[in-house]
């Protein structure tokens, strides 16, 4: 097996994005465009991955370095300054490319190429030939045309350099090729910029291959999404929608019932059990798993969470586990309008109602907080009922402290539990209490001003005007 070295061209300006952000850092399905390409290189089990940067080089390099993961190909960055064309871009990578590999050339702004397509291209190259990924376009304007003699490709002619007859060719070069490294290096050394754009064209290596008797073959695909580049906000949005529709279809083929595949967004990985239902306008980010029979209401945002079988997430709920994760137990009911933050661990049959926020807190089976409440840094026992408007005062301005509410405690409405504090099992806390000391098991604890009534109270009256 010949080793694969991927080269990703990502130095271009992206003028039509009209953005301060480098084009390849704009996001598709939650990840920078160029990250998709790097991830594809990883899927190819490439030996190395060289990213050619230019415009916004520092930002692009920092973003990719921050996302580098174990097991991925070694990432290297090469600067192209100034940008004198695609051939000039790949020339910059020559010093870091080993001679013995197959080089796969990709673009940082073409995010949706599938690894199996590239595997087929690599097989066609076979360490011997120049293999080009091509596609037929009804409107090939702007693209390099594939000039053929039967199976063999004779040349790629850029649109601006093409004759009328050549412009009639509908087969175009996708911008993706697989080529033996040793050959590539020799051909790159022969490039010039005598063409309509005064650029060093990578595509000119085709004519050198032909001259050297190296077969140039095309692997033609029909799926335009895999070679689609992003040049403008409109193209980015169109590609996002097409990609989301594909993800939605894949889930629906597994049996997931999406109310509307056109109103579904997955920006990460979603694993679903059987009979999962997802209503409209939900966004899933990071890693999310939904157990059997889970139902997600409309307009939920769910990130980095694991939701067990039979749980129901009502509309407008926001769940974000960030690094710590969130878990929702079997048969739990959450929302509408609930917020689960990192470290929220809900046991089975837990109920979290509207305008309830849970952070870094464990709720055991059957605990309920149904209205307008905050549970932060808390351990809540089984069957606890946590009243409307109650909060844990977990932060003293410097440190966070824990609140422990043992099993079967009933916390009345509008209580403040000043942590660190423990409420003993089976106890009751009267409404409106500010609890600063531990409460005994089984007791009623009340900590509020005593009610006072003054009979026949005369309200103030308005003075008559002079
Ligand atoms: C290139 C091909 C063309 C093909 C088309 C497919 C050449 C000469 N032409 O067109 O045959 O049909 O792609 O989209 O290769 N880049 C650099 N440095 C540069 C120039 C470009 O890094 O100096 C990067 C761009 O950022 C982009 C990629 O290379 O990611 C392709 O450049 P682009 O200008 O979009 O391609 P074209 O030259 O128009
Ligand atoms: Ca160009």
């Amino acid at each position: 097996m010949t080793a694969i070295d991927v080269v990703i061209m990502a130095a271009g300006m992206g003028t039509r994005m009209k953005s301060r952000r480098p084009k390849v850092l704009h996001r598709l399905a939650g990840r920078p465009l160029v990250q998709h390409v790097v991830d594809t290189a990883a899927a190819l089990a490439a030996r190395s991955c060289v990213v050619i940067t230019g415009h916004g080089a520092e930002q692009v390099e920092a973003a990719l370095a921050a996302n580098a993961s174990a097991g991925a190909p070694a990432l290297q960055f090469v600067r192209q300054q100034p940008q004198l064309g695609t051939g000039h871009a790949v020339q910059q990578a020559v010093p870091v490319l080993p001679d013995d590999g197959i080089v796969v050339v990709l673009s940082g702004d073409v995010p949706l190429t599938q690894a199996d397509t590239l595997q087929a291209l690599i097989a066609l190259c076979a360490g011997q030939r120049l293999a080009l990924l091509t596609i037929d376009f009804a409107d090939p304007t702007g693209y390099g045309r594939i000039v053929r003699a039967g199976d063999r490709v004779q040349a790629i002619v850029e649109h601006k350099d093409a004759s009328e007859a050549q412009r009639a060719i509908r087969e175009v070069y996708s911008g993706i090729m697989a080529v033996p490294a040793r050959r590539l290096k020799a051909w790159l050394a022969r490039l010039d910029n005598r063409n309509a754009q005064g650029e060093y064209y990578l595509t000119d290596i085709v004519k050198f291959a032909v001259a050297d008797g190296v077969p140039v073959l095309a692997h033609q695909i029909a799926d335009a999404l895999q070679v689609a580049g992003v040049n403008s906000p409109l193209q980015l949005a169109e590609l996002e929608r097409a990609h989301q529709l594909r993800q939605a279809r894949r889930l629906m083929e597994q049996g997931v019932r999406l109310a509307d595949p056109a109103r579904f967004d997955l920006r990460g990985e979603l694993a679903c059990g059987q009979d999962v239902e997802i209503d409209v306008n939900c966004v899933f980010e990071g890693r999310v798993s939904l157990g059997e029979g889970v139902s997600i209401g409309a307009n939920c945002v769910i990130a980095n969470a694991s939701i067990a079988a039979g749980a129901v997430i009502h509309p407008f709920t926001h769940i974000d586990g960030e690094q710590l994760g969130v878990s929702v137990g079997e048969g739990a009911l959450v929302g509408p309008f609930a917020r689960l933050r990192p470290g929220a661990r809900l046991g089975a049959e837990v109920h979290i109602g509207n305008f309830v926020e849970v952070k870094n807190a464990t709720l055991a089976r059957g605990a309920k907080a149904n209205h307008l409440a905050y549970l932060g840094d808390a351990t809540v026992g089984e069957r606890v009922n946590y009243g409307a408007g109650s909060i844990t005062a977990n932060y003293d301005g410097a440190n966070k402290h824990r609140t422990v509410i043992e099993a079967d405690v009933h916390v009345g409405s509008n209580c403040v539990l000043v942590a660190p504090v423990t409420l003993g099992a089976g106890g009751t806390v009267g409404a409106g209490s500010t609890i600063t000391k531990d409460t005994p098991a089984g007791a009623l604890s009340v900590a509020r001003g005593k009610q006072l009534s003054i009979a026949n109270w005369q309200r103030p009256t308005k003075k008559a005007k002079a």
Side-chain angles (χ1 to χ4, degrees):
M1 275 282 287
T2 313
I4 308 298
D5 298 297
V6 169
V7 172
I8 301 175
M9 297 185 291
M13 168 104 100
T15 318
R16 282 193 281 153
M17 289 302 293
K18 299 188 178 162
S19 170
R20 286 187 205 281
R21 188 186 305 170
K23 176 165 80 169
V24 296
L25 292 186
H26 284 276
R27 286 168 186 272
L28 182 117
R31 270 181 300 158
L33 294 170
V34 66
Q35 186 68 51
H36 285 263
V37 186
V38 170
D39 292 349
T40 306
L44 291 176
R47 166 172 64 186
S48 71
C49 180
V50 184
V51 183
I52 298 160
T53 60
H55 283 282
E58 287 89 357
Q59 276 170 277
V60 174
E61 292 167 12
L64 287 174
N67 274 341
S69 59
L75 258 190
Q76 297 182 82
F77 300 107
V78 171
R79 298 263 174 106
Q80 184 199 16
Q81 214 65 269
Q83 290 83 38
L84 302 178
T86 53
H88 179 250
V90 179
Q91 277 171 351
Q92 311 310 306
V94 165
V96 302
L97 285 173
D99 285 339
D100 64 346
I102 292 176
V103 175
V104 175
V105 178
L106 303 172
S107 291
D109 57 357
V110 178
L112 296 179
T113 318
Q114 288 168 205
D116 60 348
T117 300
L118 297 177
Q119 294 291 12
L121 193 70
I122 290 162
L124 199 62
C125 163
Q128 312 280 329
R129 301 180 284 255
L130 172 54
L132 308 171
L133 189 66
T134 70
I135 187 164
D136 271 2
F137 279 155
D139 177 10
T141 308
Y143 291 91
R145 305 302 204 280
I146 301 293
V147 180
R148 281 177 178 261
D151 273 356
R152 298 289 178 90
V153 176
Q154 292 300 305
I156 300 174
V157 183
E158 293 304 306
H159 182 90
K160 286 184 177 146
D161 300 284
S163 64
E164 276 312 306
Q166 288 166 335
R167 285 186 181 183
I169 298 172
R170 288 172 43 192
E171 186 181 9
V172 304
Y173 172 53
S174 66
I176 294 171
M177 64 170 64
V179 50
R182 204 183 304 273
R183 294 288 196 180
L184 174 67
K185 290 182 178 189
W187 296 330
L188 286 173
R190 289 155 69 181
L191 292 180
D192 64 57
N193 64 353
R194 293 191 296 272
N195 52 55
Q197 301 183 82
E199 288 181 8
Y200 295 88
Y201 291 165
L202 178 61
T203 44
D204 277 351
I205 71 169
V206 171
K207 66 186 182 206
F208 301 137
V210 171
D212 289 352
V214 174
V216 184
L217 300 175
H219 175 58
Q220 194 177 335
I221 59 169
D223 179 7
L225 213 52
Q226 289 196 49
V227 299
V230 171
N231 294 300
S232 67
L234 177 63
Q235 284 174 350
L236 180 60
E238 286 172 346
L239 211 55
E240 175 80 35
R241 255 322 86 209
H243 175 61
Q244 291 299 345
L245 202 54
R246 269 189 194 187
Q247 298 193 121
R249 288 220 176 105
R250 202 188 62 229
L251 286 163
M252 294 176 91
E253 277 158 16
Q254 292 165 20
V256 177
R257 295 194 290 278
L258 299 180
D260 182 356
R263 284 179 289 169
F264 167 79
D265 285 85
L266 171 54
R267 302 173 189 158
E269 287 164 44
L270 178 61
C272 292
Q274 210 169 18
D275 284 306
V276 165
E277 289 191 339
I278 300 173
D279 209 337
V280 298
N281 292 333
C282 291
V283 179
F284 296 88
E285 295 171 350
R287 274 172 202 273
V288 176
S289 71
L290 306 179
E292 187 170 335
V294 164
S295 164
I296 310 288
N299 302 300
C300 290
V301 176
I302 301 181
N304 299 306
S306 160
I307 298 175
V312 178
I313 311 297
H314 289 294
F316 296 100
T317 290
H318 185 223
I319 299 178
D320 189 357
E322 295 176 19
Q323 267 74 22
L324 284 175
V326 162
S327 59
V328 174
E330 285 190 16
L333 305 179
V334 179
F337 297 101
R339 179 167 185 219
L340 304 184
R341 294 173 51 205
R345 313 256 172 247
L346 313 188
E349 313 288 338
V350 163
H351 293 186
I352 297 295
N354 41 221
F355 308 108
V356 174
E357 174 182 350
V358 181
K359 185 219 76 170
N360 191 29
T362 302
L363 282 76
R365 172 182 284 272
K368 293 186 174 69
N370 272 325
H371 326 268
L372 301 160
Y374 176 55
L375 277 162
D377 303 302
T379 304
V380 179
E382 295 190 357
R383 296 172 300 277
V384 163
N385 194 306
Y386 192 75
S390 290
I391 64 159
T392 52
N394 57 325
Y395 185 52
D396 61 15
N399 297 298
K400 304 267 169 72
H401 302 282
R402 250 190 127 71
T403 301
V404 177
I405 308 175
E406 293 179 355
D408 298 300
V409 166
H410 183 102
V411 178
S413 296
N414 230 33
C415 292
V416 180
L417 310 180
V418 182
V421 72
T422 296
L423 310 189
T428 301
V429 178
S433 292
T434 296
I435 299 293
T436 55
K437 293 184 291 224
D438 293 355
T439 62
L444 168 65
S445 302
V446 186
R448 64 176 183 234
K450 276 217 161 63
Q451 186 166 326
L452 179 73
S453 295
I454 297 174
N456 302 317
W457 176 251
Q458 295 296 313
R459 290 189 208 147
T461 53
K462 279 192 178 158
K463 288 205 175 86
K465 279 195 183 128

